[in-house]
Amino acid sequence: MNIKVMINDGNGKFSDESKKWGTDQLLGWWNCISAADLDQDGDADIVAGNLGTNIKFKANQEKPMYVYLDDFDKNNTWDTYLGTYDKNGKLYPVRGRQCSSEQMPFIKEKFQNYDAFANATLDEILDDKKNSTTIIKKATEFRSGILVNQENKSFEFKPLPIETQISPIQDIILYDFNKDGKPDIAYGGNYFNREIETTRSDAGIGGICIQENNATFKSISSYQAGIYFNSDLRKMKLIKINSNYFILAANNNSNIQLNLIN
């Protein structure tokens, strides 16, 4: 989905101006979003956590990744089917015949062998199953990044440093960690609960990106950052206890972590 820009007309009515602001085609699997005046020019910029690039799923403007959603086999449960383009520009399913037929048994009946399935495009596989109820979504960007506000007229997308892209970013904290007057970024993520044929995203250990200037960020080492979020993180919160600030991190099926900010 895209990051929608909704504008209030002053009378309580909102209009979608995503196209005007340049976010209508910035389609990702966004997990979190935070806003602050990062470049300190008087307007709000956005930091958004995404899927990351260290995964078999790939997407860009020329070759988006697609998600088809419907009850294709009519068993009263939703079926999610993923599609991606090959080098020749044809849309093929991400999952193979075995996994696909376990979810939707009609595929094994329709394609009697692996060779027949391998040569079928996604639309050929679902040609008689799609209808008006089928939801089709696409993704064009899996990198986490910053949307820099251009004088309250549009947003410019800038990906975060490559070190942040090794795992999904599930949450973000904006705070001036090095006390130079500019907001910095702390992040954490991972995602363990994947289907068996897709390796779980567990490479992330969280981190801090220090702002150098004009919403340009540099990742610092985990040793320097002093945080190690290697669990299935879901939420982070900046809290103050007495005169000290802490990062509180909540992990799925694991302990809560508390990190003192020096």
Side-chain angles (χ1 to χ4, degrees), residues 5-148:
V5 179
M6 306 298 292
I7 304 297
N8 191 333
D9 65 0
N11 298 312
K13 294 183 179 179
F14 289 83
S15 59
D16 185 352
E17 298 192 11
S18 303
K19 185 174 183 178
K20 175 184 174 182
W21 283 75
T23 65
D24 60 315
Q25 293 303 310
L26 191 63
L27 309 173
W29 292 358
W30 308 105
N31 299 310
C32 59
I33 186 169
S34 295
D37 186 5
L38 299 175
D39 52 8
Q40 300 176 306
D41 63 352
D43 50 35
D45 308 296
I46 293 172
V47 185
N50 207 347
L51 179 69
T53 58
N54 185 27
I55 194 167
K56 69 180 183 181
F57 304 139
K58 307 299 178 186
N60 55 47
Q61 291 288 346
E62 291 72 33
K63 294 181 178 180
M65 184 170 180
Y66 281 83
V67 178
Y68 286 63
L69 181 65
D70 205 340
D71 181 11
F72 294 114
D73 54 2
K74 305 303 180 185
N75 66 347
N76 296 318
T77 61
W78 287 101
D79 300 305
T80 303
Y81 211 45
L82 307 177
T84 188
Y85 284 95
D86 71 351
K87 62 181 180 180
N88 297 316
K90 292 186 177 180
L91 187 65
Y92 286 96
V94 171
R95 296 187 178 122
R97 178 176 178 269
Q98 179 66 34
C99 295
S100 298
S101 59
E102 287 176 359
Q103 179 183 3
M104 297 179 291
F106 70 83
I107 289 179
K108 185 176 288 188
E109 300 172 5
K110 186 173 183 179
F111 299 94
Q112 298 296 313
N113 54 60
Y114 287 91
D115 183 65
F117 180 85
N119 288 290
T121 65
L122 189 146
D123 286 328
E124 290 170 342
I125 293 169
L126 299 178
D127 61 351
D128 58 344
K129 304 296 181 181
K130 293 182 297 180
N131 54 52
S132 59
T133 65
T134 302
I135 298 171
I136 302 175
K137 299 290 185 179
K138 69 177 181 178
T140 60
E141 182 61 75
F142 283 149
R143 295 173 295 179
S144 298
I146 302 162
L147 283 79
V148 181

